[in-house]
Amino acid sequence: MQNHEHDPLRPHAHEPNPEPPHDDPTITVVAPHGETFLVTPEMLRQWPATTAHHCFIVSTGHGTSGPFDFTGVTLPDLCSALGIAPTWREAEIVSADGFGTRITREEAAPNAPIGPVVLAYACNGEPLSRRAGLVRLIVPGERDDALRQVKWVATVRFVSL
Ligand SMILES: Nc1nc2c(c(=O)[nH]1)N[C@H]1C(S)=C(S)[C@@H](COP(=O)(O)O)O[C@H]1N2
Ligand SMILES: [Mo]
C-alpha cells in the first residue's frame, strides 16, 4: 500500500529523475468502470496524430529546453480508439517511477488553452527514446518546473467523479 509521501498524484519534488525505471513503454489504460487495456507506442502510432508545436520543458536544475514539436495522441482520441465513452471527468497519468498528474476533460480537449495535451511518442519528427521519456505526457501550457510533463507514462486511469 502506498503512503502519502509516495502518492504520485500528490505534490512532489521538483528534482527530475533522469533515468527510466525500466525498458517497457507499454501503458495500462483503465476505463471508468475498471476495464483495462494495454497500449504500446506502436498502437499509438496507428491512431490519429496531433502535434503540439513550440513546446518548452521548463526544467528544474537544468534550465529550459526547447522549442520542441511533440507528436502523439490526445486523450479524447485515445478513448475513441479504445471505445471508452467520453463521460470521464479526469485522467490520472502516472509514471513507472512514481510521478504523476491529473488532466481534466476540459484540459484534454485538443483546442484547450493549455493544450493540445498529448501522449507523445515523437519529438521534432523523430521517435522519442525511452531515455527521453517514451511515452511522455506533454502539457504545452505548463510552466511550473515541468511538473506535468510526465516521462515514462505507465498508467492512464480515467475517472468519473
Ligand atoms: N516520470 C517522471 N517524469 C518527470 C519527472 C520525474 O522525476 N519522473 N520530473 C519532472 C521534472 S520536475 C522535470 S524538471 C522534467 C525534466 O525533464 P527532462 O528530463 O526532459 O529535462 O521532467 C518531469 N517529468
Ligand atoms: Mo522540474
Side-chain angles (χ1 to χ4, degrees):
M1 211 186 10
Q2 288 185 324
N3 64 33
H4 281 176
E5 274 150 20
H6 294 116
D7 181 341
L9 293 170
R10 289 176 70 90
H12 39 58
H14 287 205
E15 283 70 40
N17 173 13
E19 290 299 331
H22 54 65
D23 289 337
D24 184 359
T26 305
I27 299 171
T28 301
V29 177
V30 186
H33 294 295
E35 193 181 355
T36 68
F37 306 84
L38 293 180
V39 172
T40 63
E42 292 68 32
M43 291 163 73
L44 290 176
R45 280 184 200 104
Q46 286 167 25
W47 296 339
T50 298
T51 297
H53 293 279
H54 212 75
C55 298
F56 293 88
I57 303 293
V58 182
S59 184
T60 316
H62 48 282
T64 296
S65 59
F68 302 113
D69 289 344
F70 284 104
T71 300
V73 176
T74 66
L75 297 178
D77 284 340
L78 175 73
C79 287
S80 298
L82 295 175
I84 297 173
T87 53
W88 50 278
R89 297 305 316 154
E90 278 184 0
E92 300 173 350
I93 319 278
V94 177
S95 74
D97 64 326
F99 195 94
T101 192
R102 292 185 170 89
I103 304 289
T104 66
R105 193 149 59 89
E106 289 71 25
E107 290 175 322
N111 58 353
I114 204 170
V117 172
V118 292
L119 288 171
Y121 51 75
C123 180
N124 296 338
E126 299 291 330
L128 211 58
S129 67
R130 185 66 177 154
R131 196 176 165 85
L134 179 69
V135 172
R136 184 170 199 169
L137 182 75
I138 295 297
V139 183
E142 185 271 336
R143 294 286 186 276
D144 184 18
D145 292 314
L147 290 178
R148 303 184 80 187
Q149 316 297 333
V150 180
K151 299 185 282 190
W152 316 307
V153 171
T155 309
V156 176
R157 180 183 298 274
F158 292 99
V159 295
S160 314
L161 300 180

